[in-house]
Amino acid sequence: MGRGLFAPSAPELLLESGGDSKVMRSGKAYSIGRDPACDIVYTDPRVSWHHAVIRAGEGHWTLEDVGSAHGTYVDGRRTRLAQLRPGTVLRFGDPLDGSWATVTGVPRSPAPPPWTAPPPPPAPPAEEPWPTGSFRRPASVRPLPLWSVHIGRAADNDVVVDDLLASRYHAELRALRDGGHEIVDLGSHNGTFVNGQPVQRCAVRTGDIVGIGHSHFRLVGDELQEFVDTGEVSLTAEDLAVSVEGGRRTLLDHVSFPVGEKCLLAVVGPSGAGKSTLLNALTGLRPADQGTVLYDGRDMYRDYAELRQRIGLVPQEDIMHSQLTVRRALSYAAELRFPGDTAKAERQARVDEVIGELGLQARADQPVHTLSGGQRKRVSVALELLTKPSLLFLDEPTSGLDPGMDRSVMNMLRRLADEGHTVIVVTHSVLSLDVCDRLLVLAPGGKIAYYGPPRAALPFFGFKEWPEAFEAFENDTERDWAGRYQASALRSKYITDALERSRRPARALAAGLGKLPKPQGWPGQLRTLVRRYASVLSADRTFLVVMVVLPFIMGAMTRALAGSRLTPTTSVNALLILCVGGVLTGAANAVRELVKERAIYQRERGAGLSRTAYLVSKVVVLGLVTVVQAVVLTMVALAGVDLGVKGGGAVGLPPLAEITVAVALLSFTAMMLGLLVSALVRKEEVTMPLLVLVALVQVVFCGALLKLNGVPGLQQLSWLVPARWALGAMAATVDLHRIVPGVTTADPLFRHSAGAWGLDIGMLIALAVVLGGLVRKLLRRHEPAVLRR
């Protein structure tokens, strides 16, 4: 037999710190961090949740930094990978005063005492707790000048905020004659906040928190302290409860748990367990009926107006226009989210940075719809990372992906957590739970069945595979899943004790939500939205073909009916087909436009998009397209046709010009009607049947087929039909009653007079305005619940 070759085992080492020690033996990897589940636990906030790992190699030990925020230092030098030897001095978080340990050989003496982490450094003295997190230290402290302090992104400010969420000249802190201070917003894009509430001008007292972008400022004595949100934040859910149907049905049942800094938390559970409800409560989109969400110690609901800028949310549906390339989609998003005074080069640099972070360089110039499911999800994440959110939430990011792409997406989220984000992912997939730091399992009824390390979940439930566990959740309804966890040591360790450690004195939490600021600079948003929407439509080949062909087809049909001149036989049918063509042209352009973008609108609205700017951008672009189509339709149908009108039309204009105005306004109003239908429906599939219904209603109630004048009910109902007024205007222009005498054409709206024509045109304009108001109101129904309060 051949002799096998064996690598020499690494010698035992002793890690010592502050009188405590731990023996490290070959065959095990030792994790270091603030996570209580780590082998070596430090509580210093500069130590990351998962900071480093010590492993045995072939005859030696290595230390690997796993992406900590503040670094690992070996003998005073920052390193990511180093070989350990007796005498090596380690520092975690800071090379001078970070948590420390030394490496020595194992002595030939009784076993060392059990490892306990050295005590944390004392918190800096202060009259009241730091405004964010435990042991947070100011990024800068400067004396207050006598007159004022200018704060912003530009280099000539007194306080320069290196953050694209801040405007170049964002706010001014002014000294008052009575010795106090006030903060004045200088027309910033994303707003200035005092204690989480948006302000234009507000007195600032000692201890108040002034928020600008990712920075906080606080007055302490004669100093101005600045704190910067670098992404390492904690999230705490306390006693969250949600019920519906008047309290008869519980969706979330008093859920509490902590999420540490740089932690990747997966939320799983059977259908109907409350996962989406929990996600909405944690993000503030649908606040819980009871309980509190703390963002690094601050009340998320109370300070939502400010903190929503620090939250990234990737819903299950894609939140970008698939016709655009990756780079253009991200560039438009950057324009909407960053202040208007941000230079194009600054925005593009951030876009390129995010593309590089997520490995999308090779796909940057590809249309989004050509990417795989996993790559599209990366683009959605990239869009959220533009503003450097501290908290990142994802709803079913691996839905519909194969196992390989599932693993790839989860590994991406693992890297994001290691790089300084706190990531919470709701998922049905259990293939990659091992990359997560914490696992939350919800049982039916919205109760916690498990919270802790993923590796301990199945043993706790008593199953070997997850399908067995989920089947038991569904079938074993008599088992008290939540009660068993409530009584377990796991709950004490990972929820009760952790919540107790995270609690600290703070100002009283206000109930309910603070007011949200109105979007500032919405004309700038409108310009961006118009350009983006025009780009989307120009890249949609199907839309372009329909847009070009439809008016020619409808115009040719009208021309065939009209012949060379309007006669008693052809005139009514020609004008009717012209009405139908105008209605179909306008309504078909718009009937899908809002419902197909609903996920995009909901996310962008939550990030500060103006509802008015969004709607006006649709009206401007679609309106221009629709009016051009209407002009083409009318010219193809009636150019060169003898309209039988001697002299001018009803108001003295050329008859063809008057008819063109009527058809253009009809198409525009029908487009507004299409937007109304699109805002009403929940699924894109139902828009086409409704489009047919809209066209039929126009035909029946336009007045060409039925006598409407003087018929109670029908007459009043017809006033709501745009084709009624458009046909009236065209009939007034050509004096239809003269061409086709009869009861139907004797309608007062058809009278060949300036008054009748003006009334018809005025009613078309009024209907368009009313429809626009209804669409704007309906858009509100599809916004995050927090914006409707």
Side-chain angles (χ1 to χ4, degrees), residues 455-731:
R455 64 180 179 272
L458 282 174
F460 174 77
F461 292 127
F463 298 103
K464 294 183 178 180
E465 301 292 341
W466 277 107
E468 299 174 10
F470 280 101
E471 186 178 8
F473 281 134
E474 296 287 349
N475 299 331
D476 193 357
T477 56
E478 299 300 321
R479 185 173 177 179
D480 187 3
W481 301 96
R484 182 168 178 263
Y485 181 75
Q486 287 277 347
S488 70
L490 289 172
R491 186 184 189 280
S492 298
K493 180 177 181 180
Y494 294 110
I495 294 184
T496 306
D497 294 347
L499 286 176
E500 193 61 36
R501 286 194 300 270
S502 68
R503 288 194 177 99
R504 50 194 170 275
R507 65 186 71 221
L509 300 179
L513 287 163
K515 64 178 182 178
L516 294 177
K518 292 183 178 180
Q520 300 190 46
W522 74 264
Q525 288 189 357
L526 175 61
R527 288 191 293 271
T528 300
L529 290 167
V530 166
R531 289 190 294 108
R532 183 178 71 176
Y533 190 38
S535 299
V536 169
L537 293 184
S538 63
D540 189 339
R541 295 183 180 179
T542 302
F543 177 83
L544 290 176
V545 171
V546 173
M547 179 183 70
V548 173
V549 172
L550 183 60
F552 280 97
I553 293 177
M554 299 303 298
M557 292 172 59
T558 307
R559 183 71 176 225
L561 285 172
S564 61
R565 61 187 296 269
L566 295 183
T567 66
T569 305
T570 65
S571 55
V572 173
N573 289 336
L575 296 183
L576 176 61
I577 296 300
L578 203 56
C579 277
V580 173
V583 168
L584 285 178
T585 298
N589 286 344
V591 76
R592 297 184 305 118
E593 293 307 300
L594 298 182
V595 64
K596 75 179 183 181
E597 290 186 0
R598 188 150 294 156
I600 298 174
Y601 173 71
Q602 288 175 334
R603 179 62 198 118
E604 291 184 342
R605 181 76 175 115
L609 178 70
S610 164
R611 185 194 312 150
T612 300
Y614 178 77
L615 177 56
V616 173
S617 72
K618 297 292 183 186
V619 173
V620 168
V621 177
L622 286 177
L624 179 60
V625 170
T626 299
V627 168
V628 170
Q629 287 178 303
V631 172
V632 172
L633 166 64
T634 310
M635 291 297 107
V636 172
L638 297 181
V641 175
D642 182 3
L643 301 179
V645 181
K646 295 180 180 180
V651 292
L653 296 175
L656 185 58
E658 288 188 9
I659 292 176
T660 301
V661 170
V663 176
L665 278 174
L666 171 62
S667 296
F668 185 87
T669 307
M671 178 207 75
M672 299 301 297
L673 185 58
L675 288 177
L676 179 67
V677 171
S678 193
L680 278 169
V681 301
R682 295 186 179 276
K683 295 182 179 180
E684 191 176 342
E685 293 80 8
V686 303
T687 56
M688 288 302 106
L690 288 176
L691 176 62
V692 175
L693 178 61
V694 166
L696 288 176
V697 169
Q698 305 302 312
V699 171
V700 172
F701 289 96
C702 69
L705 304 179
L706 296 176
K707 180 181 182 299
L708 299 174
N709 183 51
V711 180
L714 289 182
Q715 180 180 10
Q716 288 73 28
L717 184 60
S718 70
W719 294 343
L720 304 177
V721 177
R724 171 84 163 113
W725 304 100
L727 182 64
M730 289 188 285

Side-chain angles (χ1 to χ4, degrees), residues 765-786:
I765 295 173
L767 282 174
V769 172
V770 170
L771 289 170
L774 290 174
V775 174
R776 188 180 184 280
K777 206 169 190 65
L778 286 172
L779 279 175
R780 188 171 179 271
R781 294 195 317 162
H782 303 294
E783 295 173 355
V786 66

Side-chain angles (χ1 to χ4, degrees), residues 196-208:
Q197 303 305 307
V199 299
Q200 293 297 320
R201 179 189 296 266
C202 181
V204 180
R205 296 176 294 274
T206 298
D208 284 344

